[in-house]
Amino acid sequence: MDQNTTTPLLEVRNLKKFFNTKQGLLKAVNNVSFEVKQGETLGIVGESGCGKSTTGRAILRLVEPTAGEVIFEGEDITAFRPDRVRAFRRDAQIIFQDPFASLDPRMSISEIIREPFEIFKLYSRNEQLERVQELMKLVGLSTKLTNSFPHELDGGRRQRVGVARALALDPKFIVCDEPVSALDVSIQAQILNLIQDLQDRLKLTYVFISHDLSVVRHISDRVAVMYLGKIVEITSYHNIFTNPQHPYTQALLSAIPIPKVDAKRERIILEGDVPSPVNPPRGCIFSGRCPFVMDKCREAPPALTETADGHFVACYLVNDTAEEPES
Amino acid sequence: MKTEADNMVAPTGEQAPNTRKSRSQWAEVWRRLRRNRMAMLGLVIILIIFFTAIFAEVIAPYDYRTQNLMRVADPPSREHLLGTDDLGRDILSRIIFGARVSLQVGFVAVSISLIVGGTLGALAGYYGGNLDNVVMRFMDVLLAIPSILLAIAIVSAFGGGLINVMIAVGIATIPVYARIVKASVISIKEQEFVEAARAVGARDSRIIIKHILPNSLAPIIVQGTLGVAIAILSAAGLSFIGLGIEPPTPEWGAMLSSGRHLIRRAPHVATFPGIAIMITIFALNLLGDGLRDALDPRLKQ
Amino acid sequence: MHKYILRRLLLLIPVMFGVSFVVFTIMFFTPGDPAKILLGERAPEAEVQALRTQMGLDDPYLVQFGRFIFNALRGDLGRSLTTRRPAAQELWARFPATLQLAAAGVLVAVLMGIPIGIISATKQYSLFDGFSMVLALIGVSMPNFWQGIMMVLLFSIVLRWFPSSGYGTFRHLIMPALTIGTSSAATITRMTRSSMLEVVRQDYIRTARAKGLSERVVINRHALKNALIPIVTVIGLQFGYLLGGAVLTETIFSWPGVGRLMVDAIRQRDYTVVQGGVLLLALTFSIVNLLVDILYAYIDPRIKAQYK
Amino acid sequence: MSETLLDIRDLRVTYQTEEGLVLAVDNLNLTLKKGETLGLVGETGAGKTTTALAVMQLVPNPPGTVESGEIWFNGENLLKKKNEEMRTVRGNQISMIFQDPMTSLNPVLTVGFQIEEAVMLHQKLTSKQAERQARDMLKLVGIPEGRAGDYPHEFSGGMRQRVGIAIALSCNPSLLIADEPTTALDVTIQAQVLDLMRRLRSEFGTSMILITHDLGVVAEVCDTVAIMYAGTVVETSDTRRLFTEPRHPYTQGLFGSIPSLDEEVTRLSPITGIMPDPTELPSGCRFHPRCPMAAEICSQRTPTMVPVEEGHNVHCMIYEGLVEAKKE
């Protein structure tokens, strides 16, 4: 894959999303930067509350970013006015996590997939119906289900409906927000294959969000690991397993049970829970649980810096001078 | 995009063809409601009352105004199945005509509170923020006044009569609907399918009309049905203390009130209008309960 | 906890201000001239005008409202247009009777509603359940003014067990309390049942059973407290309903409370008393709701935690 | 150590639903030896939780009914026990940890009390002694004993699951059933909880049934495995053999569906089709509509259990010699 030669389709710079809560300011996404190249899949992995879903929604402006830039095909979409945002929706789509909640229960499958056409006034009524059938076939849904309702389908087929809706406007870029987490293993594999096949056929670019590192690694070209609103490491799908640099990445890897009887691995069991994003530690966000924590880590946060070609890490163990600039 | 993609993945659903007929959620609700015998009993009673109200002129044996001072407060007899009242009018006929008033008051009052309260609640729920604060604080104020008292205050200030009673009873229950609609809208607004609609470019208006309203109807329908019952009771209560519908319009609460003084001599005068109210409310409650069960998705499991 | 109570108390101020505003506004736009009502229809115009000026009735709306609030804060609700005595005094004299009636009603409702609801829920679909649910449905469907009259007919006229009206002894209280409490009892029964059924479905009830606890302990210790949380709110709301219902019930039984005073006042177009009565009952209702919220926080540790 | 602790024979559990009769568990056979950890693996609707609830005799009734079968525990058939007798077993000899730690603790009782009441009930301790033991249990699962007076909402998910473990182990049961105990938790928290369970199990010598859909968890924790599909067990084996040589086509399909963390596989080979409708289960072998090797006979005849090796049993007609295994 000659990804280094292609230009980025999406560039995220210093993205922030803060929420006001009763407990205080919740820094869901705090200064996140990355880029996604044309045709590649960038995986974002992290545990609940790390800000991965908020990141995915902020780059689509489904939530309004607090600060930062999101540059899509050379234009900063954070500066778009509402009508431009709507036009942007034709290029950038999303597949949701919960196939039970993401389909309007009162609409038939056909109505759900057709809705984008109605909104953008595309095609005549007959063409719309034809396109719906095409899309259903494309995602592997029997066209017998056209007039069925979501509650009549199982999770896997509902998720296919969600995929068809996301494809309806012929987008270039799709955020897949935990698209298989709610599914059983055998169905999960079907959907993963579908998402991969569609990428090849339709030349799609993905940001693939999941809490499951095995899934993310399987489907992504590059993987970003998030913890408490920040990216701690970005590298290729290969390196993330063979050469993880950040202590959190290492711990995350070692925590995943491998379905093999002879998988002998060194186990790093982290102490305690993830701290609240309302009150993150000063200094490095991982300093409270890090087995290698140094004094320095508790004072100032390390910056995400490139340690090898395309391998970015935010840790003083790897780069002991790079402090994150005050923002 | 090409269609040879067909063979890319074996279409699921082929080997397990949907043998059941596809049903929309409303069809599903109706099917469940139909299986609930009590709810159907309620529905039938309400339909009968509606029917008598509409065709009162045809059905009622006498004119509701016709007085017969020779037969004041007569007990039930063959000519007057439910007896006569303090002015010798046929009670059955007055109850039949009274259904008109009660149903009107019930449905119009609920419509008023539903439209005003529902709109306020929907806006507060959807947009939140300051609008929400202002609306809901005002609702808190109205809620602090027991609704029948508020209705009494309004009617005592502006006078009785059908229209005023409907407005008073309607206004008094506005906060109930505002709260229910708001809660319902908020819970739907948080659903992923609303975000999904926004993701495919839907505007606020479309999201509210096509996605949020249809999905938040369930609790509103239930409350609305029960609300008609409450409105009928409130209106009857107002008439009972002499604040509601003015004579000679037959109104159940007023009829009851006029029978009160005859309770020792002719108990039937107060009894029958009360039974009429009770049957109507009972039927509405049966239907409301049935709707609640039929609309509750948890019972599907 | 104190912070929570204080916060709720402070919230009472704007709400009561709002209530005063609403009630004052309704009465302000009422057709009819209080000065004329006070002096009688045949009083000379000059005299009426003098009284209007003296009462400040010609002042702008907001000035009058300000004066009303100012006076109300000092416990002055104006003078009754019929007796010319201070309205506050009149209302206050009648208040204990209304409170007594409403409290008795709540007691009837709670003592009947909660146990029946619990038994119904634990024996869902049994004969007892079916029977009590039908009764409860009849209970909520019966207009209480009609029920009152029917009770008078049965227990006073036919059976002669209780006096049909009057105030003072326990025997006088029974019928009004039952009349006013029945529909609340029915509502609470239905709520208790559905709340219990909801709670019994929860995972932690399964956990309790998995410990080997007997069904009695599971219900009494694990289900009941959780089920009571929404019921407590309903009891508070029912109290408001009872205060409103007092207007009707007091009329039937000639109960010397605020409600009957208000009905008489309405007939005589004595708006000062009506206005004061609504205000007094709304204030009572708000205070009861405040107490309910505090009780609520004691039952549910999750609420308490928010205000630690 | 090979004494049998639990022996389930021909268990059948049904649920009456609006859509029809659901066969949640049918023709299920399972044995567990003393000291062993059995992994019960399957996807949604396989009947894992129902099996566990049947052992506890907590199948919600209505709508559920244990229609037939025997559940032998320590030489007694639990299904023949009266309700009061069963209560002395539940929480005492057999206890259970549930999936969702957020909802399985009572929100209005302190966690200390929720441990105490089990101890008081089964061990006839005074409330002072029970309180002491509850605090010890908390310490044992890694929660400071000073938090005994806190309510569940004051704990994180992982901490609540530790409380669940403390409740379950408080009476030193001989069998612990853990129903997806870590599914609701994050990976790093899951690792903590699994670690704790492993440690406590060896400390207490408890036998365990671990219900999970995660084959990785099974590989780490279990001695033996039973794979369930559509209400019945399709394959049982010791863990090593099942992972090196899965025999049933469904088991093989499951392995083909999991993205690997340590190997680079570009494409998964999933099982085709969807889970059958539980009210209209396929005839014959339940798996035949999705099975790549299905022959005609598979829809007509129910497979019987075939031992392929010592301790490795498969319900598939390939191993009965009735169907030819296709080479992929």
Side-chain angles (χ1 to χ4, degrees):
Chain A
M1 258 170 258
D2 55 342
Q3 25 179 273
N4 290 334
T5 57
T6 36
T7 49
L9 176 75
L10 179 82
E11 227 184 310
V12 176
R13 289 190 202 140
N14 307 102
L15 183 70
K16 289 180 186 173
K17 177 63 195 180
F18 299 164
F19 294 100
N20 279 312
T21 67
K22 267 187 198 155
Q23 286 77 34
L25 194 65
L26 186 150
K27 299 180 174 177
V29 179
N30 192 4
N31 214 8
V32 160
S33 302
F34 59 85
E35 53 181 54
V36 188
K37 298 184 185 73
Q38 187 82 48
E40 81 163 340
T41 300
L42 174 76
I44 301 183
V45 71
E47 297 178 281
S48 45
C50 74
K52 53 190 191 301
S53 281
T54 309
T55 305
R57 281 163 166 73
I59 57 185
L60 293 180
R61 277 194 63 181
L62 283 173
V63 300
E64 289 302 321
T66 306
E69 290 166 11
V70 178
I71 296 165
F72 183 82
E73 293 191 313
E75 284 181 292
D76 183 4
I77 66 142
T78 61
F80 280 2
R81 301 249 294 269
D83 51 329
R84 285 292 305 278
V85 173
R86 277 167 31 84
F88 166 65
R89 305 253 176 263
R90 297 191 62 173
D91 287 329
Q93 274 301 316
I94 178 166
I95 299 169
F96 292 94
Q97 166 173 10
D98 186 350
F100 291 83
S102 61
L103 306 179
D104 189 332
R106 313 238 173 238
M107 288 165 82
S108 72
I109 303 310
S110 162
E111 285 170 321
I112 291 169
I113 301 176
R114 207 172 60 222
E115 184 170 33
F117 304 145
E118 285 181 357
I119 290 168
F120 287 97
K121 306 206 165 41
L122 303 175
Y123 313 117
S124 70
R125 168 94 186 170
N126 274 342
E127 283 168 337
Q128 284 184 0
L129 294 176
E130 248 168 61
R131 282 282 293 148
V132 168
Q133 305 265 312
E134 268 174 49
L135 284 162
M136 287 179 73
K137 286 180 198 158
L138 183 71
V139 299
L141 277 173
S142 160
T143 48
K144 283 183 201 159
L145 301 174
T146 313
N147 295 316
S148 298
F149 287 86
H151 66 266
E152 298 171 317
L153 308 188
D154 67 291
R157 285 189 287 178
R158 288 186 199 209
Q159 198 56 300
R160 288 175 197 266
V161 176
V163 174
R165 171 178 56 195
L167 293 176
L169 294 172
D170 243 328
K172 299 173 179 144
F173 169 69
I174 298 181
V175 172
C176 308
D177 184 16
E178 303 248 20
V180 297
S181 313
L183 306 175
D184 270 319
V185 204
S186 68
I187 306 300
Q188 168 176 317
Q190 295 173 1
I191 301 294
L192 283 175
N193 280 354
L194 174 70
I195 288 176
Q196 274 182 322
D197 292 339
L198 291 171
Q199 180 168 41
D200 293 345
R201 296 191 72 90
L202 307 172
K203 308 280 171 274
L204 293 168
T205 305
Y206 290 143
V207 163
F208 190 101
I209 297 164
S210 176
H211 68 279
D212 187 337
L213 189 49
S214 320
V215 168
V216 165
R217 198 183 98 93
H218 172 78
I219 204 157
S220 309
D221 299 305
R222 291 186 304 128
V223 177
V225 180
M226 278 188 82
Y227 185 80
L228 219 56
K230 286 181 186 291
I231 291 180
V232 296
E233 186 162 4
I234 306 186
T235 185
S236 71
Y237 76 103
H238 183 75
N239 275 347
I240 204 81
F241 185 75
T242 56
N243 187 23
Q245 302 267 303
H246 196 283
Y248 176 67
T249 314
Q250 292 165 358
L252 195 61
L253 266 168
S254 87
I256 298 169
I258 293 184
K260 281 191 181 141
V261 272
D262 44 7
K264 281 278 166 280
R265 290 176 300 157
E266 194 201 345
R267 216 173 227 302
I268 309 164
I269 292 194
L270 292 177
E271 296 281 314
D273 284 312
V274 181
S276 151
V278 175
N279 246 326
R282 213 162 64 91
C284 174
I285 38 159
F286 190 53
S287 57
R289 299 172 82 198
C290 183
F292 312 110
V293 64
M294 305 175 287
D295 289 345
K296 183 172 188 172
C297 306
R298 297 209 168 89
E299 281 151 25
L304 187 69
T305 51
E306 191 160 10
T307 58
D309 191 24
H311 195 155
F312 295 81
V313 187
C315 179
Y316 291 127
L317 289 172
V318 182
N319 183 339
D320 62 359
T321 53
E323 277 181 23
E324 196 178 60
E326 287 290 323
S327 50
Chain B
M1 240 184 260
K2 296 154 206 95
T3 33
E4 61 253 43
D6 290 8
N7 329 334
M8 205 166 69
V9 242
T12 57
E14 292 290 13
Q15 35 142 79
N18 243 37
T19 44
R20 293 192 192 107
K21 211 175 135 264
S22 277
R23 279 196 211 100
S24 75
Q25 283 212 326
W26 291 120
E28 192 76 21
V29 166
W30 171 237
R31 189 178 66 93
R32 283 205 291 272
L33 188 66
R34 236 177 20 208
R35 299 210 319 210
N36 182 339
R37 267 183 291 164
M38 292 302 264
M40 289 323 278
L41 175 67
L43 184 63
V44 168
I45 295 175
I46 293 162
L47 289 177
I48 291 173
I49 297 171
F50 254 104
F51 187 79
T52 33
I54 295 168
F55 298 103
E57 279 89 354
V58 187
I59 295 167
Y62 298 90
D63 187 286
Y64 63 89
R65 284 162 303 202
T66 310
Q67 303 183 0
N68 183 351
L69 294 177
M70 308 295 291
R71 311 197 64 164
V72 166
D74 264 14
S77 62
R78 205 173 282 169
E79 297 104 283
H80 298 283
L81 288 174
L82 301 182
T84 59
D85 70 1
D86 54 340
L87 295 174
R89 296 172 295 196
D90 181 53
I91 290 178
L92 177 62
S93 305
R94 289 181 63 76
I95 284 179
I96 289 172
F97 278 95
R100 250 182 211 184
V101 176
S102 284
L103 288 181
Q104 269 186 66
V105 171
F107 283 93
V108 175
V110 167
S111 306
I112 291 173
S113 33
L114 197 55
I115 290 167
V116 180
T119 311
L120 289 175
L123 292 173
Y126 189 73
Y127 289 104
N130 284 335
L131 178 74
D132 178 20
N133 266 326
V134 171
V135 169
M136 294 325 280
R137 290 302 77 77
F138 184 59
M139 292 301 129
D140 282 349
V141 167
L142 289 188
L143 270 177
I145 310 172
S147 64
I148 183 85
L149 278 186
L150 186 55
I152 287 175
I154 296 173
V155 177
S156 71
F158 298 100
L162 187 59
I163 306 284
N164 281 0
V165 167
M166 292 192 294
I167 293 173
V169 172
I171 290 178
T173 49
I174 282 175
V176 176
Y177 294 89
R179 283 201 161 182
I180 284 176
V181 173
K182 183 192 162 189
S184 184
V185 164
I186 284 181
S187 75
I188 300 297
K189 190 179 80 165
E190 303 293 321
Q191 299 269 329
E192 243 175 18
F193 66 79
V194 170
E195 202 178 9
R198 189 166 297 122
V200 290
R203 289 197 174 88
D204 280 1
S205 55
R206 184 187 176 90
I207 289 173
I208 294 178
I209 293 164
K210 282 222 101 156
H211 296 281
I212 292 184
L213 281 183
N215 281 291
S216 50
L217 277 180
I220 300 170
I221 290 172
V222 173
Q223 184 59 41
T225 313
L226 302 176
V228 172
I230 294 167
I232 291 176
L233 273 181
S234 303
L238 288 178
S239 302
F240 180 76
I241 51 173
L243 280 176
I245 315 298
E246 278 144 8
T249 313
E251 202 280 342
W252 295 341
M255 290 167 67
L256 216 166
S257 177
S258 68
R260 213 185 120 203
H261 311 287
L262 301 168
I263 192 69
R264 284 167 198 275
R265 195 160 63 83
H268 69 274
V269 182
T271 308
F272 291 122
I275 290 176
I277 300 176
M278 198 169 86
I279 290 174
T280 312
I281 308 301
F282 188 76
L284 284 164
N285 278 321
L286 279 182
L287 182 64
D289 284 358
L291 281 169
R292 190 198 319 260
D293 292 346
L295 290 162
D296 186 347
R298 274 174 316 189
L299 293 176
K300 269 194 82 184
Q301 264 92 57
Chain C
M1 230 13 232
H2 296 295
K3 228 169 116 187
Y4 175 69
I5 297 172
L6 194 71
R7 214 180 81 102
R8 290 290 286 109
L9 266 173
L10 287 176
L11 262 172
L12 203 58
I13 296 170
V15 168
M16 284 319 295
F17 183 83
V19 170
S20 316
F21 181 76
V22 169
V23 174
F24 178 83
T25 307
I26 294 173
M27 294 304 162
F28 183 83
F29 291 107
T30 299
D33 184 347
K36 213 169 208 161
I37 296 168
L38 215 47
L39 294 173
E41 286 296 324
R42 279 167 297 173
E45 191 53 37
E47 231 173 280
V48 173
Q49 191 49 49
L51 187 61
R52 285 187 62 84
T53 318
Q54 190 207 327
M55 289 171 74
L57 292 174
D58 292 328
D59 293 337
Y61 165 66
L62 279 179
V63 174
Q64 289 195 44
F65 176 62
R67 188 162 49 225
F68 173 71
I69 283 285
F70 181 73
N71 288 334
L73 283 176
R74 298 183 310 170
D76 177 6
L77 294 171
R79 280 178 185 274
S80 158
L81 300 183
T82 48
T83 64
R84 306 204 182 189
R85 298 223 318 260
Q89 227 175 58
E90 297 251 354
L91 288 163
W92 198 244
R94 304 289 198 99
F95 188 54
T98 296
L99 214 53
Q100 198 184 76
L101 182 59
V106 167
L107 209 64
V108 166
V110 168
L111 292 184
M112 279 169 60
I114 293 182
I116 297 177
I118 292 170
I119 299 172
S120 267
T122 50
K123 300 190 159 72
Q124 199 187 359
Y125 304 129
S126 67
L127 199 66
F128 179 89
D129 181 33
F131 191 66
S132 52
M133 279 308 109
V134 170
L135 271 188
L137 201 58
I138 292 174
V140 291
S141 306
M142 220 167 15
N144 64 10
F145 43 92
W146 181 71
Q147 184 198 347
I149 294 172
M150 290 298 118
M151 284 179 76
V152 168
L153 178 61
L154 183 62
F155 295 113
S156 304
I157 297 173
V158 179
L159 296 172
R160 295 174 185 281
W161 287 356
F162 301 111
S164 67
S165 66
Y167 172 69
T169 70
F170 183 66
R171 273 166 50 84
H172 287 107
L173 182 60
I174 290 175
M175 285 208 303
L178 282 175
T179 301
I180 204 169
T182 299
S183 101
S184 294
T187 306
I188 290 172
T189 306
R190 283 155 54 91
M191 270 299 295
T192 306
R193 178 178 181 267
S194 67
S195 174
M196 278 297 280
L197 288 175
E198 174 75 37
V199 165
V200 165
R201 274 206 291 252
Q202 300 297 313
D203 284 356
Y204 53 80
I205 295 300
R206 191 171 62 176
T207 308
R209 290 196 175 121
K211 285 179 195 169
L213 297 172
S214 69
E215 203 51 29
R216 196 175 47 84
V217 175
V218 170
I219 295 296
N220 291 345
R221 195 188 283 164
H222 286 265
L224 197 53
K225 207 173 167 196
N226 283 290
L228 275 180
I229 293 170
I231 297 169
V232 166
T233 314
V234 171
I235 295 174
L237 293 176
Q238 286 301 315
F239 197 87
Y241 173 82
L242 292 182
L243 286 174
V247 175
L248 299 171
T249 311
E250 289 178 4
T251 309
I252 298 164
F253 294 100
S254 310
W255 190 262
V258 176
R260 217 184 95 214
L261 178 67
M262 282 171 67
V263 172
D264 292 341
I266 291 165
R267 292 211 178 104
Q268 293 157 344
R269 316 222 301 179
D270 186 349
Y271 301 117
T272 333
V273 169
V274 176
Q275 178 174 277
V278 174
L279 219 52
L280 177 64
L281 294 183
L283 180 66
T284 314
F285 182 34
S286 295
I287 290 172
V288 167
N289 271 333
L290 171 69
L291 295 176
V292 163
D293 279 358
I294 293 168
L295 183 64
Y296 197 84
Y298 271 104
I299 297 182
D300 189 346
R302 287 163 294 191
I303 307 265
K304 203 174 357 185
Q306 281 176 22
Y307 296 94
K308 256 194 181 150
Chain D
M1 276 308 275
S2 61
E3 205 183 324
T4 300
L5 178 70
L6 181 76
D7 190 2
I8 304 177
R9 292 183 200 157
D10 301 319
L11 185 68
R12 181 181 164 99
V13 186
T14 57
Y15 289 101
Q16 187 65 54
T17 69
E18 217 176 85
E19 312 293 330
L21 193 70
V22 168
L23 255 184
V25 168
D26 187 24
N27 193 20
L28 179 123
N29 289 281
L30 210 57
T31 54
L32 174 72
K33 296 202 174 76
K34 271 203 177 122
E36 227 176 40
T37 296
L38 166 74
L40 200 53
V41 180
E43 299 179 273
T44 313
K48 298 165 296 186
T49 301
T50 303
T51 307
L53 291 178
V55 173
M56 296 291 284
Q57 290 211 31
L58 285 177
V59 174
N61 178 9
T65 326
V66 177
E67 288 200 342
S68 56
E70 293 160 21
I71 298 176
W72 293 91
F73 174 74
N74 268 339
E76 289 180 293
N77 184 355
L78 296 181
L79 293 182
K80 288 268 178 291
K81 276 187 181 282
K82 290 204 198 80
N83 207 358
E84 303 89 77
E85 295 172 321
M86 200 53 215
R87 280 209 299 272
T88 64
V89 175
R90 279 203 287 266
N92 190 20
Q93 293 164 28
I94 309 178
S95 55
M96 193 158 170
I97 304 172
F98 297 97
Q99 171 168 3
D100 189 349
M102 302 319 252
T103 58
S104 48
L105 296 177
N106 193 326
V108 300
L109 299 175
T110 64
V111 298
F113 181 78
Q114 296 191 50
I115 304 172
E116 270 166 53
E117 65 173 350
V119 179
M120 270 190 327
L121 179 71
H122 296 297
Q123 305 194 338
K124 311 281 175 259
L125 298 181
T126 64
S127 75
K128 260 271 155 50
Q129 291 167 314
E131 196 187 322
R132 186 63 254 153
Q133 184 159 344
R135 285 165 175 266
D136 288 343
M137 284 309 299
L138 279 180
K139 258 197 297 192
L140 199 65
V141 297
I143 296 175
E145 58 175 312
R147 299 202 60 187
D150 287 355
Y151 291 92
H153 70 267
E154 296 167 275
F155 293 85
S156 67
M159 287 295 186
R160 289 190 211 188
Q161 201 53 301
R162 286 168 192 261
V163 174
I165 293 171
I167 292 174
L169 291 179
S170 60
C171 295
N172 199 359
S174 42
L175 173 62
L176 174 65
I177 303 176
D179 185 4
E180 305 255 13
T182 58
T183 306
L185 306 176
D186 273 320
V187 211
T188 58
I189 308 300
Q190 161 171 299
Q192 294 171 355
V193 171
L194 283 180
D195 197 52
L196 175 74
M197 285 175 64
R198 238 186 328 228
R199 212 184 70 226
L200 293 179
R201 189 197 33 159
S202 57
E203 221 168 277
F204 283 68
T206 314
S207 312
M208 183 159 90
I209 295 179
L210 179 71
I211 296 175
T212 180
H213 65 277
D214 187 336
L215 286 166
V217 171
V218 173
E220 287 202 358
V221 182
C222 300
D223 307 311
T224 55
V225 193
I227 308 281
M228 286 188 75
Y229 183 79
T232 195
V233 169
V234 296
E235 183 167 5
T236 56
S237 164
D238 67 85
T239 308
R240 173 163 293 276
R241 252 181 303 202
L242 188 107
F243 277 71
T244 46
E245 244 185 298
R247 295 298 184 96
H248 196 282
Y250 175 65
T251 315
Q252 292 166 351
L254 273 186
F255 278 102
S257 297
I258 315 170
S260 165
L261 189 62
D262 55 349
E263 280 169 49
E264 294 183 7
V265 180
T266 46
R267 209 181 143 81
L268 301 170
S269 22
I271 306 164
T272 55
I274 57 166
M275 283 296 266
D277 180 341
T279 60
E280 289 172 44
L281 288 176
S283 59
C285 172
R286 301 271 157 80
F287 187 59
H288 83 262
R290 302 176 73 185
C291 184
M293 306 194 209
E296 217 187 320
I297 190 170
C298 296
S299 61
Q300 294 154 1
R301 179 179 172 279
T302 309
T304 53
M305 187 187 86
V306 182
V308 285
E309 287 167 90
E310 167 79 42
H312 190 167
N313 302 310
V314 187
H315 283 73
C316 175
M317 281 176 261
I318 294 174
Y319 304 95
E320 293 182 55
L322 297 170
V323 174
E324 207 178 321
K326 287 177 213 152
K327 288 273 176 336
E328 296 216 25

